[in-house]
């Protein structure tokens, strides 16, 4: 969890392309390998596009785990992303990996069910 490695569960499968959950940054995609389902969109994003969503580490002052797929909203109440996974922080609360629109991260004021997210640094650089 704190290594920034996503976990895809049945509730979130087919929700994100690999770049949205940082698999390209974790060397979880081989762009030289042969065919696989979804290869075209993944390769197109890598070679031609710009990633507009990334997974970030955040903290919430909450004791109970948060379900994967739960929505994160911005200050205007628009959906900014989803929870990828959640784990208890040893110092209290829950740390989450959340897939978020980069423009929403820059704007700030993200929340889950009315609780403000405190963004934390990832253990690796998000730019590539």
């Amino acid at each position: 969890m704190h290594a920034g490695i996503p976990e895809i569960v049945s509730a979130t499968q087919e929700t994100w392309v690999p770049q949205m959950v940082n698999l390209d940054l974790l060397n979880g995609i081989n762009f030289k390998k042969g065919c696989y389902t979804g290869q075209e969109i993944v390769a197109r994003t890598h070679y031609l596009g710009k990633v507009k969503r990334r997974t970030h580490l955040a903290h919430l002052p909450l004791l109970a785990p948060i379900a994967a797929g739960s929505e994160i909203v911005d200050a205007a109440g628009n959906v900014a992303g989803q929870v990828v996974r959640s784990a208890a922080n040893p110092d209290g609360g829950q740390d989450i990996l959340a897939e978020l629109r980069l423009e929403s991260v820059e704007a700030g004021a993200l929340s889950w069910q009315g609780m403000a997210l405190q963004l934390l640094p990832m253990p690796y650089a998000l730019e590539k």
Side-chain angles (χ1 to χ4, degrees):
M1 166 70 196
H2 292 100
I5 299 172
E7 179 180 9
I8 307 302
V9 297
S10 58
T12 59
Q13 69 185 30
E14 299 185 25
T15 302
W16 307 296
V17 295
Q19 290 96 327
M20 290 179 184
V21 289
N22 303 343
L23 289 178
D24 57 330
L25 304 176
L26 295 164
N27 295 318
I29 304 171
N30 184 340
F31 291 102
K32 296 180 179 166
K33 186 166 175 0
C35 296
Y36 55 88
T37 304
Q39 177 186 11
E40 185 177 337
I41 188 68
V42 171
R44 187 179 316 130
T45 301
H46 174 71
Y47 291 111
L48 303 174
K50 179 175 166 105
V51 178
K52 296 180 181 178
R53 302 172 82 88
R54 284 284 185 194
T55 295
H56 293 76
L57 184 60
H59 179 78
L60 285 166
L62 182 72
L63 297 178
I66 301 162
S70 297
E71 293 181 342
I72 305 292
V73 297
D74 62 18
N78 299 314
V79 175
Q82 295 180 321
V83 173
V84 175
R85 67 187 293 197
S86 156
N89 182 305
D91 296 326
Q94 291 287 315
D95 287 343
I96 64 169
L97 285 176
E99 175 273 330
L100 301 167
R101 287 191 334 257
L102 294 177
E103 63 188 22
S104 297
V105 171
E106 291 172 12
L110 298 168
S111 64
W112 175 83
Q113 295 188 359
M115 283 185 255
L117 264 69
Q118 175 192 359
L119 291 178
L120 303 171
M122 291 293 282
Y124 49 83
L126 291 179
E127 293 299 318
K128 189 170 184 181

PDB file of all heavy atoms in Angstrom, residues 1 8 12 17 27-28 36 52 59 66 72 86 101 103 114 121:
ATOM      1  N   MET A   1       0.827  -1.195   0.000  1.00  0.00           N
ATOM      2  CA  MET A   1       0.000   0.000   0.000  1.00  0.00           C
ATOM      3  C   MET A   1       0.871   1.259   0.000  1.00  0.00           C
ATOM      4  O   MET A   1       0.755   2.079  -0.885  1.00  0.00           O
ATOM      5  CB  MET A   1      -0.908  -0.066   1.228  1.00  0.00           C
ATOM      6  CG  MET A   1      -1.595   1.190   1.608  1.00  0.00           C
ATOM      7  SD  MET A   1      -2.854   1.611   0.430  1.00  0.00           S
ATOM      8  CE  MET A   1      -3.109   3.263   0.884  1.00  0.00           C
ATOM      9  N   ILE A   8      -6.079  -4.276  -7.840  1.00  0.00           N
ATOM     10  CA  ILE A   8      -7.326  -4.254  -8.592  1.00  0.00           C
ATOM     11  C   ILE A   8      -8.204  -5.374  -8.051  1.00  0.00           C
ATOM     12  O   ILE A   8      -7.792  -6.523  -7.976  1.00  0.00           O
ATOM     13  CB  ILE A   8      -7.073  -4.445 -10.097  1.00  0.00           C
ATOM     14  CG1 ILE A   8      -6.038  -3.447 -10.612  1.00  0.00           C
ATOM     15  CG2 ILE A   8      -8.384  -4.353 -10.880  1.00  0.00           C
ATOM     16  CD1 ILE A   8      -6.365  -1.988 -10.414  1.00  0.00           C
ATOM     17  N   THR A  12     -13.373  -2.985  -9.136  1.00  0.00           N
ATOM     18  CA  THR A  12     -12.677  -1.963  -9.926  1.00  0.00           C
ATOM     19  C   THR A  12     -12.048  -2.506 -11.204  1.00  0.00           C
ATOM     20  O   THR A  12     -11.422  -1.729 -11.936  1.00  0.00           O
ATOM     21  CB  THR A  12     -11.587  -1.281  -9.083  1.00  0.00           C
ATOM     22  OG1 THR A  12     -10.644  -2.259  -8.630  1.00  0.00           O
ATOM     23  CG2 THR A  12     -12.180  -0.516  -7.915  1.00  0.00           C
ATOM     24  N   VAL A  17      -7.133   2.363 -17.094  1.00  0.00           N
ATOM     25  CA  VAL A  17      -6.034   1.873 -17.916  1.00  0.00           C
ATOM     26  C   VAL A  17      -4.807   1.842 -17.011  1.00  0.00           C
ATOM     27  O   VAL A  17      -4.766   2.551 -15.995  1.00  0.00           O
ATOM     28  CB  VAL A  17      -5.800   2.736 -19.188  1.00  0.00           C
ATOM     29  CG1 VAL A  17      -6.991   2.669 -20.125  1.00  0.00           C
ATOM     30  CG2 VAL A  17      -5.441   4.151 -18.868  1.00  0.00           C
ATOM     31  N   ASN A  27       7.075   0.058 -13.716  1.00  0.00           N
ATOM     32  CA  ASN A  27       7.572  -0.917 -14.693  1.00  0.00           C
ATOM     33  C   ASN A  27       6.667  -2.146 -14.767  1.00  0.00           C
ATOM     34  O   ASN A  27       7.130  -3.260 -14.971  1.00  0.00           O
ATOM     35  CB  ASN A  27       9.025  -1.317 -14.400  1.00  0.00           C
ATOM     36  CG  ASN A  27       9.960  -0.149 -14.575  1.00  0.00           C
ATOM     37  OD1 ASN A  27       9.828   0.626 -15.523  1.00  0.00           O
ATOM     38  ND2 ASN A  27      10.892   0.018 -13.651  1.00  0.00           N
ATOM     39  N   GLY A  28       5.368  -1.912 -14.617  1.00  0.00           N
ATOM     40  CA  GLY A  28       4.387  -2.987 -14.688  1.00  0.00           C
ATOM     41  C   GLY A  28       3.818  -3.183 -16.081  1.00  0.00           C
ATOM     42  O   GLY A  28       2.920  -3.991 -16.272  1.00  0.00           O
ATOM     43  N   TYR A  36      -1.752  -7.973 -26.321  1.00  0.00           N
ATOM     44  CA  TYR A  36      -2.571  -8.287 -25.153  1.00  0.00           C
ATOM     45  C   TYR A  36      -3.829  -7.441 -25.243  1.00  0.00           C
ATOM     46  O   TYR A  36      -3.864  -6.419 -25.956  1.00  0.00           O
ATOM     47  CB  TYR A  36      -1.823  -8.041 -23.835  1.00  0.00           C
ATOM     48  CG  TYR A  36      -1.270  -6.649 -23.669  1.00  0.00           C
ATOM     49  CD1 TYR A  36      -2.037  -5.622 -23.117  1.00  0.00           C
ATOM     50  CD2 TYR A  36       0.026  -6.358 -24.074  1.00  0.00           C
ATOM     51  CE1 TYR A  36      -1.525  -4.353 -22.972  1.00  0.00           C
ATOM     52  CE2 TYR A  36       0.535  -5.078 -23.933  1.00  0.00           C
ATOM     53  CZ  TYR A  36      -0.238  -4.084 -23.383  1.00  0.00           C
ATOM     54  OH  TYR A  36       0.264  -2.824 -23.235  1.00  0.00           O
ATOM     55  N   LYS A  52      -3.800  12.037 -17.962  1.00  0.00           N
ATOM     56  CA  LYS A  52      -4.552  13.091 -17.283  1.00  0.00           C
ATOM     57  C   LYS A  52      -5.014  12.661 -15.901  1.00  0.00           C
ATOM     58  O   LYS A  52      -5.604  13.436 -15.168  1.00  0.00           O
ATOM     59  CB  LYS A  52      -5.764  13.491 -18.127  1.00  0.00           C
ATOM     60  CG  LYS A  52      -5.355  14.109 -19.449  1.00  0.00           C
ATOM     61  CD  LYS A  52      -6.545  14.493 -20.271  1.00  0.00           C
ATOM     62  CE  LYS A  52      -6.067  15.076 -21.590  1.00  0.00           C
ATOM     63  NZ  LYS A  52      -7.160  15.422 -22.461  1.00  0.00           N
ATOM     64  N   HIS A  59      -4.408  10.565   3.005  1.00  0.00           N
ATOM     65  CA  HIS A  59      -4.778  10.147   4.360  1.00  0.00           C
ATOM     66  C   HIS A  59      -6.157  10.692   4.703  1.00  0.00           C
ATOM     67  O   HIS A  59      -6.498  11.822   4.341  1.00  0.00           O
ATOM     68  CB  HIS A  59      -3.753  10.655   5.375  1.00  0.00           C
ATOM     69  CG  HIS A  59      -4.083  10.271   6.779  1.00  0.00           C
ATOM     70  ND1 HIS A  59      -3.859   9.011   7.276  1.00  0.00           N
ATOM     71  CD2 HIS A  59      -4.643  10.976   7.792  1.00  0.00           C
ATOM     72  CE1 HIS A  59      -4.263   8.966   8.533  1.00  0.00           C
ATOM     73  NE2 HIS A  59      -4.748  10.145   8.869  1.00  0.00           N
ATOM     74  N   ILE A  66     -11.935   1.869   3.639  1.00  0.00           N
ATOM     75  CA  ILE A  66     -12.752   2.509   2.607  1.00  0.00           C
ATOM     76  C   ILE A  66     -12.812   1.571   1.411  1.00  0.00           C
ATOM     77  O   ILE A  66     -11.789   1.053   0.961  1.00  0.00           O
ATOM     78  CB  ILE A  66     -12.141   3.859   2.211  1.00  0.00           C
ATOM     79  CG1 ILE A  66     -12.058   4.753   3.452  1.00  0.00           C
ATOM     80  CG2 ILE A  66     -12.933   4.530   1.114  1.00  0.00           C
ATOM     81  CD1 ILE A  66     -11.123   5.904   3.314  1.00  0.00           C
ATOM     82  N   ILE A  72     -14.153  10.000  -4.980  1.00  0.00           N
ATOM     83  CA  ILE A  72     -13.505  11.172  -4.402  1.00  0.00           C
ATOM     84  C   ILE A  72     -14.060  12.365  -5.176  1.00  0.00           C
ATOM     85  O   ILE A  72     -14.158  12.311  -6.407  1.00  0.00           O
ATOM     86  CB  ILE A  72     -11.967  11.110  -4.581  1.00  0.00           C
ATOM     87  CG1 ILE A  72     -11.387   9.828  -4.004  1.00  0.00           C
ATOM     88  CG2 ILE A  72     -11.309  12.362  -4.018  1.00  0.00           C
ATOM     89  CD1 ILE A  72     -11.459   9.693  -2.528  1.00  0.00           C
ATOM     90  N   SER A  86      -7.241   0.823   0.306  1.00  0.00           N
ATOM     91  CA  SER A  86      -7.201   1.499   1.597  1.00  0.00           C
ATOM     92  C   SER A  86      -6.493   0.602   2.598  1.00  0.00           C
ATOM     93  O   SER A  86      -6.600  -0.627   2.527  1.00  0.00           O
ATOM     94  CB  SER A  86      -8.647   1.779   2.017  1.00  0.00           C
ATOM     95  OG  SER A  86      -8.785   1.921   3.388  1.00  0.00           O
ATOM     96  N   ARG A 101      -8.033  12.853 -11.121  1.00  0.00           N
ATOM     97  CA  ARG A 101      -7.744  13.747 -12.240  1.00  0.00           C
ATOM     98  C   ARG A 101      -6.651  14.712 -11.788  1.00  0.00           C
ATOM     99  O   ARG A 101      -6.745  15.310 -10.712  1.00  0.00           O
ATOM    100  CB  ARG A 101      -8.988  14.537 -12.655  1.00  0.00           C
ATOM    101  CG  ARG A 101     -10.022  13.726 -13.374  1.00  0.00           C
ATOM    102  CD  ARG A 101     -11.124  14.581 -14.020  1.00  0.00           C
ATOM    103  NE  ARG A 101     -11.370  15.864 -13.405  1.00  0.00           N
ATOM    104  CZ  ARG A 101     -12.404  16.143 -12.601  1.00  0.00           C
ATOM    105  NH1 ARG A 101     -13.294  15.220 -12.313  1.00  0.00           N
ATOM    106  NH2 ARG A 101     -12.547  17.350 -12.097  1.00  0.00           N
ATOM    107  N   GLU A 103      -5.909  17.649 -12.828  1.00  0.00           N
ATOM    108  CA  GLU A 103      -6.390  19.023 -12.668  1.00  0.00           C
ATOM    109  C   GLU A 103      -7.088  19.203 -11.324  1.00  0.00           C
ATOM    110  O   GLU A 103      -7.008  20.260 -10.715  1.00  0.00           O
ATOM    111  CB  GLU A 103      -7.323  19.413 -13.818  1.00  0.00           C
ATOM    112  CG  GLU A 103      -8.584  18.581 -13.874  1.00  0.00           C
ATOM    113  CD  GLU A 103      -9.433  18.823 -15.120  1.00  0.00           C
ATOM    114  OE1 GLU A 103      -8.904  19.305 -16.122  1.00  0.00           O
ATOM    115  OE2 GLU A 103     -10.637  18.521 -15.067  1.00  0.00           O
ATOM    116  N   GLY A 114     -17.348  13.958   2.433  1.00  0.00           N
ATOM    117  CA  GLY A 114     -17.271  15.166   3.252  1.00  0.00           C
ATOM    118  C   GLY A 114     -15.999  15.320   4.062  1.00  0.00           C
ATOM    119  O   GLY A 114     -15.783  16.361   4.682  1.00  0.00           O
ATOM    120  N   PRO A 121       3.127  12.400  -0.033  1.00  0.00           N
ATOM    121  CA  PRO A 121       4.046  12.138  -1.143  1.00  0.00           C
ATOM    122  C   PRO A 121       4.071  10.653  -1.509  1.00  0.00           C
ATOM    123  O   PRO A 121       3.974   9.784  -0.637  1.00  0.00           O
ATOM    124  CB  PRO A 121       5.407  12.586  -0.605  1.00  0.00           C
ATOM    125  CG  PRO A 121       5.261  12.635   0.878  1.00  0.00           C
ATOM    126  CD  PRO A 121       3.803  12.819   1.182  1.00  0.00           C
TER     127      PRO A 121
END
